[in-house]
Amino acid sequence: MKHILLLFLSELHLKDGYVLSSTYMPPDGGELIEGVQTNEPVVKYVMNRLAAGGEHLDGIFYFATKKVRESLSIKVREPLPIGLPEDWPEGQPCTLPQDQLFQNIIHNSPGGADVPFYKVPYDEDRSTEESIRQVIAMADTISTFMDENTGEETAIYADMTGGFRYAAMMMLSVMQLLKYRGASIEGVLYSNFQKKAIEDVSEVHRMFSLLSGADEFANFGSVREIESYFKGKETSGELQSLLAVMRRFADAIRICRTPEILPLAGRLWKAMDAFQKTGHKTLQEDLFMQILYLIRKEYGSLLSPNPGALDIIRWCVDKDFLQQAMTLCTEWLPGYIVDERICYTDNKVRQKKALERGEAMSRDWKKSFIINYVEESGTPRIPQSETMNFTNNGASYLLAVQTFARTFDAVKASRNYPPLSEKLEKLFTEINDYFNDFEFKSVQKVKSRYPFLYQAAYIMWKHHRNSKTYHDAFQTFLEKNSDKAKFARQIQSVSLADISKLGSTGDVPPKKKTEPSQPKTIDEKVQSRMNQYRMMLDQGIMKTDYPMDMTLEVLENYQRIQKERNQINHASEGKGLGNEEIKTLIRKCMASLNQCLTYKQTKIN
């Protein structure tokens, strides 16, 4: 290990031109240390301390102001180990730079003969910006020393005695920069001229480490700095328990141990509460008590006896733990969606079937049900040629249909999808006219008076007929669909490809059977799954206790998050979302879930 000492060189103060000597009591209560310059006792103390352990000082790095670099005329009354020739006449002046005198003193002290010095000039008349440049220069100088001694650890001792206005802040900045390079701060010392004592002020510096550690935990979930602060210190059982929970929670978040996160969040709250009630057993614990406010503020809604899944996900998004947030959404939200009856099934056979299909992926039935459950008898696969129509523009088309289902304004709703606004407006207008005074007469009359509605209804009926349990004729389907709002919502199951064909003569021709292609892009995959959701909800395979548009919005947001997460995890090709887009997507998902919960509360009240 290499041992170095960092200091800001003090000016030498003379009395009538004479150098004066003082003695200082070391922190360990050992022999008094003599010095003519205030940095000198600290340097000698460090050299003595290292020598006692068979070590030595490998370098002294110092800031030197213009004044300490200037020559000074000094006189001595008695022999002093200050580097002057032994036969120098007493009382005769000797002129040399102050920092050279300092180096001479150290080189003439026991153990200091071979200690190298590294000087970084500092101009006390320059701007604050220049001070920052000198901090960088010192950090670079020490970093070069560390690079030249690769493979060996570097221990830093800091002497905070001397310096100019910003000396202490500059020293602290250099020390912090070097910590990031892997150096350890072994001791922070100060020569108290008034008390004639060398004071160990390491605890004051360590206080800043604790504060930065609290910030590190609050922002990045790391407890390394906080644990380092308490290492080797006497601590209460309550603090030990709190630090252990903080570490386990941070680890669980960092590597997404999903089963542990919620229980550990609850334990974190309880451990903090226990420490606040019984702490204050040491000075260090008193200090830590002060920074718990920051942690509580940053962890907010997590600090409750029973934090919820949505609380954890929101917190991850706020902390930019986006990979974790996407993983938690993927893992937790299916169970949440089912439990809140946003999309669910009470059918035990379907639950068992979903569980069996999810076993290969270690998924429970709820996750399998939401992610990829499809009932083959009830849901045809959508060919890629149709699915591709739902990318980008598909979202606008769905918005048009959803807007009409809410407002029944044919003109405004159709404008949401300009490429087919004319056909959509015609379809929506026919739906309004058809249901204004609903009285079903015959299929032929519906076909002749409302051709767009007829063709859309025929497509919807064909989807139903794919289920082995559905036996209604087309006329019966029309007779039963007397609710305009319900009929309008079912339009979402009609693909854009079929919408574009509305108005052609005759029934919608049956499609030639071809082997369906798998959707490739995220948009294609999401819209393919959305088609399956709509048909299964319409057929009762999937159920919901909420308005259809709310349910579909939650499911679409979830599918997008799940598909984006899979693409990132599998390093798939294709353009993914940026960080801000991911945050927006997750927050949109949280908002859609909150909308459902608000609706639920309104219903209860």
Side-chain angles (χ1 to χ4, degrees):
M1 176 179 283
K2 295 295 183 181
H3 302 275
I4 65 174
L5 195 148
L6 173 66
L7 58 87
F8 208 117
L9 193 59
S10 298
E11 294 179 30
L12 185 63
H13 296 285
L14 307 177
K15 186 173 183 179
D16 299 328
Y18 284 91
V19 172
L20 299 178
S21 175
S22 299
T23 57
Y24 293 78
M25 175 66 72
D28 57 11
E31 293 184 9
L32 296 177
I33 298 175
E34 186 176 16
V36 299
Q37 197 265 4
T38 51
N39 299 110
E40 181 184 343
V42 170
V43 178
K44 290 180 177 178
Y45 170 70
V46 172
M47 289 194 301
N48 293 341
R49 179 175 166 180
L50 290 172
E55 302 280 357
H56 63 275
L57 198 57
D58 296 287
I60 295 176
F61 295 78
Y62 67 97
F63 289 103
T65 63
K66 285 194 299 183
K67 285 193 175 182
V68 301
R69 299 196 309 269
E70 293 173 355
S71 294
L72 183 67
S73 180
I74 63 171
K75 296 184 288 187
V76 295
R77 286 197 175 91
E78 56 187 37
L80 292 171
I82 60 175
L84 299 180
E86 293 181 2
D87 58 351
W88 191 267
E90 183 178 330
Q92 292 298 312
C94 174
T95 303
L96 74 169
Q98 292 184 48
D99 65 328
Q100 184 60 57
L101 174 65
F102 172 67
Q103 292 188 30
N104 292 346
I105 291 172
I106 301 305
H107 283 152
N108 280 275
S109 301
D114 299 322
V115 176
F117 285 83
Y118 303 84
K119 174 170 61 178
V120 171
Y122 174 72
D123 189 344
E124 54 266 48
D125 296 326
R126 300 292 291 273
S127 65
T128 303
E129 182 177 327
E130 186 61 27
S131 297
I132 297 173
R133 294 186 187 280
Q134 301 316 304
V135 167
I136 296 171
M138 178 60 79
D140 283 342
T141 302
I142 299 177
S143 294
T144 300
F145 171 87
M146 293 171 66
D147 291 340
E148 291 171 352
N149 293 278
T150 302
E152 291 196 68
E153 296 180 10
T154 301
I156 299 176
Y157 295 85
D159 175 16
M160 307 297 287
T161 304
F164 206 63
R165 288 170 296 176
Y166 313 117
M169 287 186 287
M170 291 175 66
M171 295 275 287
L172 289 170
S173 299
V174 172
M175 292 156 67
Q176 195 65 27
L177 288 171
L178 294 173
K179 277 184 65 178
Y180 295 140
R181 282 294 308 270
S184 61
I185 310 301
E186 292 299 310
V188 183
L189 303 154
Y190 175 78
S191 291
N192 190 322
F193 181 75
Q194 302 299 324
K195 295 182 178 180
K196 296 295 186 291
I198 302 170
E199 297 178 351
D200 189 335
V201 293
S202 301
E203 199 61 38
V204 177
H205 175 261
R206 293 181 71 249
M207 175 180 69
F208 290 102
S209 297
L210 177 61
L211 295 174
S212 65
D215 195 53
E216 186 179 57
F217 179 72
N219 290 306
F220 308 111
S222 172
V223 296
R224 181 181 55 188
E225 195 75 26
I226 295 175
E227 288 186 318
S228 175
Y229 174 77
F230 285 106
K231 188 176 182 180
K233 297 290 184 181
E234 181 184 353
T235 53
S236 64
E238 290 78 12
L239 178 59
Q240 292 172 21
S241 296
L242 174 55
L243 292 178
V245 174
M246 289 170 70
R247 180 175 61 255
R248 287 192 61 191
F249 178 76
D251 290 344
I253 286 288
R254 201 157 38 236
I255 59 179
C256 280
R257 288 185 177 139
T258 49
E260 297 182 20
I261 293 174
L262 282 172
L264 284 171
R267 286 179 57 190
L268 181 62
W269 174 83
K270 292 175 184 176
M272 282 188 181
D273 193 52
F275 173 69
Q276 286 195 303
K277 289 177 180 176
T278 60
H280 306 282
K281 294 185 178 179
T282 65
L283 173 64
Q284 289 77 20
E285 291 191 3
D286 275 341
L287 182 59
F288 186 60
M289 190 73 71
Q290 297 301 312
I291 66 173
L292 276 184
Y293 169 78
L294 169 65
I295 296 174
R296 282 191 176 277
K297 178 183 175 184
E298 292 296 327
Y299 277 62
S301 56
L302 300 195
L303 301 179
S304 62
N306 297 297
L310 301 191
D311 296 326
I312 303 283
I313 293 170
R314 288 192 192 95
W315 180 83
C316 285
V317 173
D318 291 341
K319 294 299 176 189
D320 284 334
F321 295 162
L322 301 186
Q323 181 65 35
Q324 289 87 340
M326 295 179 79
T327 298
L328 297 182
C329 283
T330 299
E331 297 298 316
W332 286 351
L333 291 189
Y336 189 89
I337 291 169
V338 171
D339 292 342
E340 290 295 331
R341 299 172 71 84
I342 297 171
C343 181
Y344 68 99
T345 179
D346 293 327
N347 187 298
K348 299 299 181 183
V349 174
R350 289 189 176 114
Q351 291 177 7
K352 182 180 179 182
K353 195 180 296 184
L355 178 61
E356 290 171 351
R357 293 179 184 180
E359 282 179 348
M361 299 288 290
S362 299
R363 291 172 177 166
D364 62 18
W365 79 264
K366 296 176 184 178
K367 195 183 301 181
S368 175
F369 184 71
I370 295 299
I371 291 178
N372 59 3
Y373 180 82
V374 61
E375 203 155 297
E376 297 297 341
S377 61
T379 311
R381 295 172 69 181
I382 307 299
Q384 185 181 12
S385 59
E386 294 185 20
T387 305
M388 289 179 66
N389 289 315
F390 283 98
T391 63
N392 298 327
N393 287 338
S396 300
Y397 162 62
L398 294 177
L399 178 62
V401 175
Q402 291 167 0
T403 301
F404 176 70
R406 287 197 308 270
T407 66
F408 302 117
D409 189 323
V411 176
K412 287 185 178 180
S414 62
R415 288 175 184 169
N416 284 294
Y417 186 59
L420 290 176
S421 59
E422 185 176 339
K423 291 200 173 190
L424 286 173
E425 183 180 345
K426 175 69 173 173
L427 172 62
F428 295 158
T429 301
E430 286 188 5
I431 292 172
N432 282 333
D433 293 344
Y434 177 76
F435 283 100
N436 275 348
D437 187 20
F438 179 81
E439 182 181 348
F440 181 77
K441 295 181 178 179
S442 71
V443 171
Q444 194 57 39
K445 286 186 177 181
V446 173
K447 182 178 180 179
S448 60
R449 293 183 184 180
Y450 311 104
F452 280 53
L453 178 147
Y454 169 82
Q455 291 182 4
Y458 189 83
I459 293 167
M460 288 150 52
W461 172 72
K462 290 285 284 184
H463 286 161
H464 285 290
R465 289 284 291 178
N466 284 318
S467 171
K468 292 179 181 179
T469 60
Y470 190 87
H471 304 290
D472 288 348
F474 181 50
Q475 178 169 322
T476 306
F477 171 78
L478 288 175
E479 290 174 350
K480 287 183 176 180
N481 272 278
S482 59
D483 185 313
K484 181 166 72 170
K486 182 179 178 181
F487 185 89
R489 287 196 297 271
Q490 291 182 78
I491 295 295
Q492 295 180 73
S493 65
V494 181
S495 73
L496 269 175
D498 286 331
I499 288 290
S500 66
K501 296 173 186 175
L502 293 182
S504 59
T505 57
D507 296 340
V508 178
K511 291 183 173 59
K512 187 177 180 180
K513 287 189 177 181
T514 56
E515 185 64 28
S517 301
Q518 289 295 331
K520 294 180 180 179
T521 70
I522 286 178
D523 278 329
E524 291 171 11
K525 292 174 182 177
V526 170
Q527 294 306 331
S528 175
R529 182 60 178 159
M530 291 307 295
N531 274 314
Q532 294 172 347
Y533 282 138
R534 290 185 197 99
M535 285 183 281
M536 285 190 285
L537 285 164
D538 187 51
Q539 295 167 14
I541 296 170
M542 289 179 165
K543 296 181 180 180
T544 181
D545 291 354
Y546 300 82
M548 186 65 71
D549 57 340
M550 286 187 188
T551 299
L552 291 174
E553 184 176 358
V554 168
L555 293 172
E556 181 173 358
N557 288 332
Y558 173 75
Q559 280 293 323
R560 289 194 178 279
I561 292 171
Q562 194 254 346
K563 299 295 186 291
E564 284 287 342
R565 183 252 188 176
N566 285 352
Q567 178 165 287
I568 292 170
N569 281 4
H570 300 149
S572 303
E573 293 183 5
K575 183 180 178 182
L577 298 180
N579 284 4
E580 290 304 314
E581 293 171 310
I582 290 173
K583 289 166 75 171
T584 299
L585 174 59
I586 297 174
R587 285 174 175 152
K588 182 182 177 184
C589 185
M590 297 296 103
S592 65
L593 289 168
N594 279 341
Q595 186 181 21
C596 287
L597 297 183
T598 301
Y599 175 85
K600 178 181 177 181
Q601 290 300 319
T602 304
K603 284 288 187 181
I604 293 173
N605 296 333

